[in-house]
Amino acid sequence: MSASLSDEDLLVALRARQPGAFEEVVARYGARVLNTCLGLVPQRADAEDMTQEVFVEVHRQLAAFRGEAKLSTWVYRIAVNKCLEWQRYRKRQKRFAFFTSLFGADDNAPAHDLPDFDHPGVLAERREQAAILLQAVARLPERQQAAFTLFHLEGLPHSEIAETLDLSVGAVESLLHRAKASLQQRLRGYYQEYLAG
């Protein structure tokens, strides 16, 4: 299967069950899906499991995909939905223990025990700061989390985020604005302490 196939041609090949077509989807989008999952599920092992589940779901839903969105947008949508489902499951199972384990008793102060954070787009010396940021992102409402991750970690334009989340561009801009304001407020104390120390 040629890596130079357009998404449209790849979709035709997928539907025709051509050999290598699904492997090409995984090769084309695997790293990007993992990055998205790491933004929403910052434990690397969980994000890797989630990435596998995303491609299982892509394979399962292929017949139902009507091609109204780009193939990449559809794959991102499945990734975001799977990660948000995982978060809801964890919240139910552990009665919010997941979030309280990331943060200390003070609501706005991150705990010192950081998760096993290993996002490929973050330099080693910035990993602690990035882990703290993503802990704060994990406390945002779901759609703000998703918009923030797709925009800041994946670099998607507002229009593609809107399509992925089934929202208007204005709604995405509003989500990003609220997420930024909330994160600035949550992290203000940490960064003042960090800069003073």
Side-chain angles (χ1 to χ4, degrees):
M1 185 68 49
S2 169
S4 62
L5 278 179
S6 69
D7 275 4
E8 293 78 13
D9 290 338
L10 181 54
L11 182 58
V12 169
L14 280 166
R15 287 187 167 144
R17 306 279 186 200
Q18 289 182 10
F22 187 74
E23 289 79 4
E24 175 61 28
V25 171
V26 174
R28 190 173 292 190
Y29 297 112
R32 294 183 341 186
V33 167
L34 177 60
N35 286 347
T36 298
C37 291
L38 280 167
L40 293 166
V41 181
Q43 298 289 340
R44 186 164 188 100
D46 291 331
E48 288 172 349
D49 289 345
M50 200 60 46
T51 299
Q52 289 181 2
E53 286 190 32
V54 167
F55 286 106
V56 167
E57 191 69 17
V58 165
H59 192 269
R60 184 181 300 132
Q61 290 191 22
L62 193 56
F65 179 54
R66 295 186 300 273
E68 294 169 350
K70 293 192 312 188
L71 182 60
S72 60
T73 301
W74 180 64
V75 172
Y76 275 125
R77 184 178 298 156
I78 291 172
V80 167
N81 287 337
K82 281 282 178 194
C83 290
L84 295 179
E85 285 172 16
W86 178 88
Q87 287 181 4
R88 287 190 290 267
Y89 173 78
R90 291 286 298 250
K91 284 182 195 175
R92 283 195 309 268
Q93 291 301 103
K94 297 196 173 189
R95 298 176 189 229
F96 306 105
F98 175 69
F99 289 121
T100 56
S101 72
L102 295 177
F103 287 85
D106 179 352
D107 245 9
N108 293 319
H112 294 290
D113 295 330
L114 299 175
D116 175 24
F117 178 80
D118 188 24
H119 193 285
V122 179
L123 296 174
E125 64 268 17
R126 300 225 177 224
R127 287 215 168 115
E128 181 180 348
Q129 292 173 348
I132 289 167
L133 171 62
L134 288 180
Q135 289 172 9
V137 170
R139 299 189 73 199
L140 294 172
E142 288 179 352
R143 287 188 178 215
Q144 288 181 31
Q145 284 182 53
F148 183 91
T149 298
L150 292 172
F151 183 71
H152 289 286
L153 294 182
E154 285 304 297
L156 295 187
H158 291 178
S159 58
E160 191 167 352
I161 296 169
E163 200 171 347
T164 299
L165 300 179
D166 198 22
L167 298 169
S168 69
V169 170
V172 167
E173 290 169 351
S174 177
L175 286 172
L176 289 169
H177 176 76
R178 291 195 314 255
K180 181 179 176 183
S182 180
L183 290 171
Q184 285 174 337
Q185 182 176 353
R186 287 183 191 279
L187 296 172
R188 183 177 295 125
Y190 168 75
Y191 283 107
Q192 284 173 350
E193 178 182 318
Y194 178 79
L195 293 171

